[in-house]
Amino acid sequence: KAGVTQTPRYLIKTRGQQVTLSCSPISGHRSVSWYQQTPGQGLQFLFEYFSETQRNKGNFPGRFSGRQFSNSRSEMNVSTLELGDSALYLCASSLAAAGGETQYFGPGTRLLVL
Amino acid sequence: DQQVKQNSPSLSVQEGRISILNCDYTNSMFDYFLWYKKYPAEGPTFLISISSIKDKNEDGRFTVFLNKSAKHLSLHIVPSQPGDSAVYFCAAPPNYGGSQGNLIFGKGTKLSVKP
């Protein structure tokens, strides 16, 4: 079974631009979560989608948004990029948004904002 | 306010010895804990979990201990192997009895196992 895939793997943008990252969950998984990893803050939760609906949202500004499609694939968008948005963005999927479900992570998209 | 804390950013252990990675939490409502391992250029990989109704969970060389009164958990790796060298994250879902969809992670401990 294929794992979680994320595209692109690496991205360089400049301040003020916007970016869209993509995540394809493991087949059959309906929950997709996004995390931001930075050296200073560690792994921080961005948002979680389940059956095309946002179920939970972390403490990030409105410039960060996401969506999930009917095939469970998800995208996250960051508008008006800032230097501090440089990070590794990780996507994770699980069978369902229920207690006890293990999350499986993709390799991440490394975003560099210049 | 960090609800899950890993106070040791790094740990170095000799091959064959025990590795003990520690994690503290502040929210007494947390009822489920997970450990993830992360190699460079890869996403975190689930390692082992423990429910608050238990104080120990074992899986091969990996054992997680939970001390609810101290709000402390630890991951023991015995015996440690060079392939265990990675960053280890402790995590908990913040919703009582809820999903793992929004995990709170510690900042990680980098384990180096020397041959």
Side-chain angles (χ1 to χ4, degrees):
Chain A
K1 199 182 239 189
V4 178
T5 57
Q6 292 186 245
T7 57
R9 292 292 310 276
Y10 303 94
L11 206 48
I12 300 176
K13 292 284 187 179
T14 56
R15 275 182 301 173
Q17 287 188 308
Q18 76 162 13
V19 67
T20 299
L21 312 181
S22 181
C23 171
S24 292
I26 292 171
S27 177
H29 285 194
R30 296 168 63 194
S31 171
V32 173
S33 298
W34 289 88
Y35 295 84
Q36 180 196 65
Q37 185 182 17
T38 58
Q41 298 298 320
L43 271 154
Q44 292 189 291
F45 170 75
L46 279 155
F47 26 67
E48 177 204 2
Y49 287 87
F50 179 74
S51 293
E52 301 178 66
T53 302
Q54 188 180 86
R55 287 177 60 98
N56 290 294
K57 189 176 190 304
N59 190 24
F60 278 81
R63 300 185 296 108
F64 292 82
S65 63
R67 58 178 176 168
Q68 186 180 34
F69 302 95
S70 58
N71 61 358
S72 294
R73 190 177 71 84
S74 177
E75 288 180 348
M76 69 162 280
N77 184 76
V78 188
S79 62
T80 321
L81 283 165
E82 300 177 0
L83 296 178
D85 297 333
S86 294
L88 179 68
Y89 290 88
L90 291 158
C91 164
S93 75
S94 63
L95 276 170
E101 293 290 342
T102 299
Q103 287 196 349
Y104 297 87
F105 282 83
T109 294
R110 186 162 294 282
L111 171 66
L112 178 61
V113 182
L114 301 175
Chain B
D1 177 35
Q2 245 190 303
Q3 297 190 64
V4 178
K5 301 177 187 179
Q6 293 177 260
N7 293 319
S8 298
S10 63
L11 174 69
S12 184
V13 170
Q14 206 66 33
E15 181 179 4
R17 300 286 192 136
I18 183 172
S19 294
I20 299 176
L21 297 100
N22 294 304
C23 177
D24 297 297
Y25 61 97
T26 58
N27 191 333
S28 57
M29 294 297 285
F30 288 169
D31 63 355
Y32 194 75
F33 304 89
L34 308 94
W35 285 91
Y36 281 83
K37 177 171 72 173
K38 187 179 185 299
Y39 293 117
E42 294 183 13
T45 304
F46 170 73
L47 196 56
I48 192 169
S49 62
I50 189 165
S51 165
S52 60
I53 61 172
K54 293 185 173 183
D55 55 16
K56 176 183 171 182
N57 189 25
E58 197 170 350
D59 184 2
R61 296 185 297 114
F62 302 91
T63 303
V64 57
F65 295 93
L66 175 62
N67 182 335
K68 290 187 289 292
S69 60
K71 295 193 187 71
H72 176 84
L73 59 155
S74 60
L75 174 68
H76 293 212
I77 307 174
V78 184
S80 301
Q81 299 173 353
D84 296 329
S85 297
V87 178
Y88 289 79
F89 292 96
C90 171
N95 300 319
Y96 177 75
S99 78
Q100 290 185 41
N102 52 327
L103 293 171
I104 296 178
F105 282 86
K107 292 198 174 181
T109 296
K110 184 176 182 180
L111 174 66
S112 299
V113 180
K114 310 289 185 190

